[in-house]
Every structure is written in C-alpha cells, then in structure tokens.
C-alpha cells in the first residue's frame, strides 16, 4: 500500500480520499443547510462557464485543492439550484440526505448490474425495492419491475413491448414488413408528454402514426374519442397497437380515466401504458389511490421517484404485467455474458437497450428505509396541502384566476387584473403578454423560479410544490413575490 504517498500508477491515496471525502460531505451539508442564501437561478451569461475553463486538458494532474477551488469559482456560479426550496418550476426533483449518501456508496462500489452474475446484490435489491414500491403504490403483484434512468426511457421500452405484442397478435409472430411499420398507430392525449412522440419516432413510427386524442375541460383524455379513433383507424388500414394514458400530465397534472381507457384497450387488444412519471408517487397516500383506479388492467406503468420521491436524479421505476414481451423485444446477448445461473435468475440486461446498469436501487432502498412509508406519505400529503392552500389564495384573489383543477402539488394560474381591455380578442392577447412579463419578473427576482404552459391559447403560470425542502413559509414567500411583481408591472 502506498497510503499518503504520491502515486504514479495507482489511484488517489486513501488518506487523501478520506480527507477530501470528509471535506466534501461537509461541503454538501453546508450547501443544503444554507441553500436559501443562493439565488435559485444562476446569473451567468451564455458561454461564461465554458470560457472560464481551459480549452485543453491539464498535462499533469492537479491537486485536489485546485480542483475544488475551480469547482467553487468556475462551476458553482452556473448551477441552477434544483434543491432550493423556492425552485417551484417544472416538476422539481430534489435530492435527500439518504439518497445522496447512497449515490456516493454506489460510486464507491462501482458495480455493473447487467446480470445477476455480475452483481447478485444489485439484481436482488432491485427486485426487492421495486416490490416494496409496488406495494406502496398499490400496484398489483402480477406486475414485474425494472429501473431505467428516466420516464422517457421507460416509455420507450413500453412502446417497444407494445409493438412486440402487436407482432404476436396481428402478424402471428412474423416480422412486420417495412410497409406494415408505417401502419402502426399509437394514441395519447393532446396533453401527453412529448417523450411519447419521441418514443414512437425512435421506434420508426412516423408522425402520422401518432394520434392525439382530444381532452375534456379538465384536460383529461376523452375515452369515447379514443374508441372512435381506434375504430376509424382500423377501417382505414391502421394497426392500433399502443395507448398511453397519463396520470398527472405535465402542464396541468390532469388524470386520464385509466379504468375506462383500459376497458377499450382490452377489447381492442391494444397495449395500455400509463405515464405516471410525476404523479404516480401520490398513490402512496391512501386518499390518492383513486388515481390508479383500473391499474390492474393496464400493461405497463412508469413512476419516477426522481420527480417526487426525493431521489437524486435519475431513477425511473417501470412495471409491466407482460415482462415476456419486453424480454422478447430486447433479449439479445453474447457468449461472453452467458452463465450457468441464467435459467434461475433475473438478468436485467435482457429487458432493455442498455447493457451496463448503475446500482440505482441502492438509493431507492436507502430512501424508503430512512423515511419509511409513513415519512414519505407525510411529505407528499403536505405538498398537496400546500398546493391546495396556494390554490385557495388564487381563488380568493381578484387579480388572479386558476386555470386547472389541483390534484397534486401543481397549481396553474394567471394574472387577470381589472384594467385589461374588455374586447375579448384584445384582452386575451394583452393577458398573454402580461403573464409572460410577470413570469420573467418573478424569475429574475432571484428568489423564486416558476415555469409556464399554454392552456387553450392562454399563457399560464405554473407553480410546483414538490421539493423536500419546500415548507409553508416558502409558499407564502412565493405568494408575496408573485403579488409584488404584479403590482410593479401595474404601477
Ligand atoms: N412524462 C411526464 C408526464 C413528464 O412530466 C415528464 C417530464 O416532466 C416525462 C414523462 C419525462 O420525464 P424524464 O425526464 O424522466 O424522461
């Protein structure tokens, strides 16, 4: 061992690793303790970070002090603070202490969980934690789970499995010919996340193969319209093979009626995938279980603990009741990876595109063990309570109006001050401009970060309360900032 000595051919000495490891843990603890001292958004100009770094890599290694000092001076200024309690844009993903520490351990172990053989603990812990999570969410035992990086990837695998099923059901196991490929059709609502379009495009289904189903006033897919579309498409020679229902759409968090959609899909023999990337976590609280009504009849589900379960990005939990379809779509291997245990174990590499797999289940396991089901429930319940309180504030404030129902931690609203034109067409145009200006003013306050969407051509501001560090006082501060910035614009 050469502990403490400069090494020419080996890794950093353990004494040095220990010293800077402790220092970095202290740094992270201080960072999280004092996170409110940072402005949520960085103030850097485009290219500023890049220009502050040398064009070429260092020829000789630098001291760890230099690296840390460069990190502080050159990288930190361009950091957007997703962990900040006033980061209330998009679907916030915040890390938590146990998640951060588990990721550190995972980097230390550096296993590759491609098969059981390459790391039994990684495979078996993934099976156990996904089983725990399924119980927490009320996902029936017939569902089999796997962890991917993001919901986009989970949905891509769902659509690939759906296509595999279509081959079985409609083409009797024969390969679809190129001409048949262009006939495949996938359905999702007008409010579905664009990752679904990307999945379809990636799998060779062109834009015409993606059919958007209209939504009702509450932005939910209308099942009758889906049923009509499928029937019409079959008549016109299309092959309907997959429907994606969303539980918690990105703009408004609307919940598609999974039960009714599942009945249609069962009858039509179409794969039903549920994108519950953000809102699925809410099913952990018993009073929110309704969001998964009918879930026993779907083919696959995605829930992202990195969106609303305090898990450092990335971790997407994917469940399917037909893992054999997924395996059929993806199990290709090479001789060098075969082992005598293959028949008896799960080799996760057989269920997806990637071969190498990080030890993601470790952080999920740490988080569930550390907070417990009740601890997670309390935090999710509180976020929903705070969102409803914020919605009440909007509803009772003459300067604002609410734009969508509130089910989870997101409230969609816009400013509608009195001195706006009465002429309907001018009015909407003016309101759109005003709300865009308001959002820009809020975000340049350095104190709060919100995002926006457009609903029925109306520019809409979105607040998302799902950060583990976001408390009632932060939401009250947000209200004050929003109101003050509107007053500044109007005076
Ligand atoms: N599905 C929904 C409903 C989303 O809101 C998002 C992102 O916000 C995604 C999928 C994509 O998530 P990911 O970044 O994990 O791919």
């Amino acid at each position: 061992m050469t502990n403490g000595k400069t090494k020419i051919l080996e890794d950093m000495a353990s004494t040095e690793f220990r010293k800077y490891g402790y220092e970095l843990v202290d740094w992270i603890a201080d960072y999280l303790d004092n996170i409110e001292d940072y402005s949520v958004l960085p103030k850097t100009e485009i290219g500023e970070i890049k220009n502050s770094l040398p064009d070429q890599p260092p020829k000789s290694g630098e001291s760890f002090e230099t690296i840390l000092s460069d990190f502080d001076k050159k990288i930190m200024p361009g950091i957007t603070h997703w962990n900040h309690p006033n980061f209330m844009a998009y679907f916030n993903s915040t890390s938590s202490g146990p998640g951060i520490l588990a990721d550190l351990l995972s980097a230390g172990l550096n296993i590759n969980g491609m098969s059981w053989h390459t790391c039994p603990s990684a495979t078996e812990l993934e099976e156990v934690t996904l089983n725990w999570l399924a119980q927490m969410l009320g996902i029936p035992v017939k569902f089999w789970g796997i962890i991917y990086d993001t919901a986009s990837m989970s949905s891509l695998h769902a659509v690939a499995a759906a296509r595999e099923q279509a081959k079985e059901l409609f083409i009797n196991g024969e390969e679809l010919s190129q001409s048949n490929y262009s006939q495949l059709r996938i359905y999702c609502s007008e409010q579905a996340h664009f990752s679904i379009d990307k999945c379809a495009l990636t799998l060779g289904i062109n834009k015409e193969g993606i059919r958007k189903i209209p939504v009702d006033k509450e932005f939910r897919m209308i099942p009758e319209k889906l049923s009509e579309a499928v029937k019409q498409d079959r008549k016109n020679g299309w092959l309907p093979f997959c429907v994606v229902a969303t539980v918690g759409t990105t703009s408004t968090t609307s919940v598609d009626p999974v039960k009714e959609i599942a009945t249609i899909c069962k009858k039509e023999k179409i794969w039903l995938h549920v994108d519950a990337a953000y809102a699925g976590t809410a099913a952990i609280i018993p009073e929110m279980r309704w969001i998964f009504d009918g879930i026993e009849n779907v083919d696959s589900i995605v829930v992202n603990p990195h969106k609303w379960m305090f898990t450092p990005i990335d971790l997407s939990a994917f469940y399917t009741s037909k893992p054999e379809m997924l395996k059929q779509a993806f199990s290709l291997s090479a001789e060098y990876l075969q082992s005598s245990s293959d028949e008896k174990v799960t080799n996760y590499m057989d269920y997806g595109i990637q071969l190498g797999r990080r030890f993601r289940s470790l952080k999920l396991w740490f988080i569930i063990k550390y907070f417990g089901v009740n601890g997670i429930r309390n935090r999710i319940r509180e976020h929903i309570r705070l969102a409803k309180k914020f919605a009440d504030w909007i509803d009772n404030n003459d300067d604002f109006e609410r734009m969508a129902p509130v089910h989870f931690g997101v409230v969609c609203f816009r400013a509608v001050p009195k001195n706006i034109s009465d002429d309907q067409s001018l009015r909407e145009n003016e309101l759109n401009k005003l709300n865009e200006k308001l959002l820009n003013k809020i975000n340049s306050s350095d104190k709060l970060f919100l995002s926006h969407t457009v609903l029925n051509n109306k520019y809409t501001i979105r607040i998302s309360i799902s950060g583990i560090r976001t408390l009632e006082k932060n939401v009250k501060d947000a209200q004050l900032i929003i109101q003050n910035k509107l007053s500044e614009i109007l005076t």
Side-chain angles (χ1 to χ4, degrees):
M1 294 299 289
T2 51
N3 291 0
K5 295 197 188 123
T6 309
K7 295 174 179 180
I8 296 171
L9 293 176
E10 293 171 51
D11 191 12
M12 172 189 256
S14 65
T15 45
E16 197 186 5
F17 179 82
R18 206 179 296 278
K19 173 173 161 19
Y20 292 111
Y22 289 143
E23 218 171 88
L24 274 187
V25 169
D26 282 343
W27 187 98
I28 297 169
D30 287 343
Y31 168 70
L32 294 176
D33 271 352
N34 302 309
I35 190 137
E36 291 191 58
D37 295 347
Y38 294 86
S39 63
V40 192
L41 294 172
K43 291 197 198 85
T44 41
E45 298 294 326
I46 296 170
E48 201 179 315
I49 305 295
K50 221 165 28 177
N51 292 336
S52 74
L53 300 169
D55 284 339
Q56 286 168 355
K59 275 222 166 63
S60 310
E62 296 174 357
S63 72
F64 212 73
E65 261 109 8
T66 310
I67 298 171
L68 288 182
S69 150
D70 277 359
F71 167 74
D72 257 337
K73 285 195 215 116
K74 298 177 176 175
I75 309 298
M76 275 307 282
I79 294 291
T80 302
H81 297 281
W82 283 72
N83 276 325
H84 199 297
N86 292 355
F87 186 117
M88 300 188 200
Y90 318 127
F91 289 136
N92 185 8
S93 69
T94 48
S95 66
S96 58
I100 297 167
L101 293 174
D103 252 358
L104 177 65
L105 256 186
S106 165
L109 293 169
N110 193 38
I111 62 91
N112 185 338
M114 49 195 172
S115 67
W116 181 87
H117 191 66
T118 62
C119 187
S121 284
T123 298
E124 294 187 18
L125 191 65
E126 187 157 335
E127 292 177 306
V128 169
T129 43
L130 286 179
N131 184 298
W132 285 6
L133 185 64
Q135 290 176 47
M136 290 160 68
L137 297 168
I139 292 176
V141 284
K142 68 174 178 179
F143 283 85
W144 171 95
I146 182 167
I147 296 175
Y148 297 118
D149 53 4
T150 56
S152 304
M153 287 305 281
S154 289
S155 294
L156 179 70
H157 286 86
V159 179
R163 187 175 65 176
E164 201 64 27
Q165 173 174 273
K167 279 191 211 171
E168 290 251 312
L169 289 176
F170 300 101
I171 320 286
N172 295 328
E174 286 167 31
E175 281 291 304
L176 286 174
S177 70
Q178 253 338 91
S179 61
N180 278 333
Y181 264 103
S182 63
Q183 299 295 97
L184 284 169
R185 204 156 226 192
I186 181 170
Y187 305 80
C188 58
S189 92
E190 291 164 343
Q191 291 288 317
H193 191 262
F194 71 92
S195 56
I196 304 306
D197 301 53
K198 273 201 190 179
C199 296
L201 295 175
T202 306
L203 290 166
I205 294 149
N206 59 23
K207 279 199 172 138
E208 288 69 47
I210 307 166
R211 184 156 179 181
K212 299 286 167 85
I213 305 298
V215 293
D216 64 14
K217 281 203 188 92
E218 296 193 2
F219 307 100
R220 302 171 294 198
M221 186 195 285
I222 303 172
E224 295 75 29
K225 297 278 180 203
L226 171 68
S227 188
E228 279 165 32
V230 169
K231 285 198 174 73
Q232 188 190 53
D233 284 351
R234 282 208 200 281
K235 265 197 204 140
N236 293 332
W238 289 94
L239 180 54
F241 79 106
C242 185
V243 172
V244 179
T246 312
V247 167
T249 55
T250 315
S251 281
T252 69
T253 72
S254 60
V255 178
D256 288 342
V258 172
K259 199 171 183 171
E260 286 91 329
I261 296 170
T263 306
I264 298 167
C265 290
K266 270 243 168 311
K267 192 163 146 233
E268 299 283 352
K269 294 197 172 66
I270 300 175
W271 184 289
L272 174 55
H273 173 57
V274 173
D275 178 357
Y278 156 73
T281 308
I284 290 176
I285 51 179
E287 63 271 28
M288 291 302 289
R289 274 285 162 85
W290 63 267
I291 63 172
F292 277 166
D293 221 13
I295 208 76
E296 63 283 0
N297 290 322
V298 313
D299 298 287
S300 56
I301 312 154
V302 55
V303 177
N304 269 14
H306 82 225
K307 285 207 197 302
W308 199 10
M309 223 178 100
F310 327 124
T311 308
I313 194 163
D314 47 23
L315 198 157
S316 180
F318 177 76
Y319 293 94
T320 175
S321 55
K322 294 175 180 159
E324 70 285 357
M325 282 298 148
L326 192 61
K327 193 168 182 184
Q328 198 168 301
F330 289 105
S331 83
L332 278 182
S333 189
E335 179 54 38
Y336 78 99
L337 289 172
Q338 312 297 320
S339 103
S340 56
S341 54
D342 286 351
E343 295 298 305
K344 292 177 247 149
V345 296
T346 301
N347 288 326
Y348 277 118
M349 67 181 183
D350 291 339
Y351 297 86
I353 298 165
Q354 67 180 106
L355 172 60
R357 308 182 77 249
R358 301 203 312 118
F359 198 175
R360 290 195 180 88
S361 60
L362 194 65
K363 57 187 167 187
L364 190 55
W365 187 60
F366 267 46
I367 286 166
I368 297 173
K369 273 170 79 67
Y370 183 82
F371 293 113
V373 178
N374 286 339
I376 296 171
R377 269 190 189 141
N378 293 342
R379 287 166 175 83
I380 299 293
R381 201 176 263 133
E382 175 65 359
H383 293 157
I384 298 175
R385 186 187 76 82
L386 292 177
K388 296 224 153 133
K389 236 182 144 187
F390 182 91
D392 283 346
W393 175 71
I394 292 287
D395 292 347
N396 292 307
N397 189 325
D398 289 343
D399 285 337
F400 296 96
E401 74 177 357
R402 190 145 60 83
M403 306 298 284
V406 174
H407 302 300
F408 308 102
V410 170
V411 184
C412 292
F413 65 97
R414 68 172 181 170
V416 281
K418 283 177 212 71
N419 58 345
I420 291 283
S421 169
D422 282 342
D423 179 304
Q424 200 52 33
S425 58
L426 285 178
R427 182 182 151 79
E428 284 309 324
N429 202 4
E430 261 181 61
L431 281 175
N432 283 350
K433 282 195 185 135
L434 173 101
N435 279 283
E436 188 173 357
K437 193 168 172 187
L438 174 60
L439 182 65
N440 288 337
K441 262 195 164 283
I442 290 167
N443 289 345
S444 51
S445 72
D446 298 340
K447 304 229 159 14
L448 178 63
F449 181 31
L450 305 182
S451 54
H452 81 282
T453 185
V454 174
L455 298 173
N456 300 321
N457 300 320
K458 294 171 181 168
Y459 191 96
T460 300
I461 302 178
R462 253 175 110 265
I463 186 166
S464 173
I465 300 160
S466 56
I468 197 166
R469 294 167 196 88
T470 303
L471 306 175
E472 187 150 8
K473 78 178 174 64
N474 302 104
V475 179
K476 283 192 177 146
D477 287 349
Q479 290 170 356
L480 211 62
I481 293 166
I482 294 164
Q483 186 80 65
N484 286 346
K485 294 296 164 191
L486 180 63
S487 305
E488 277 175 29
I489 291 176
L490 297 177
T491 50

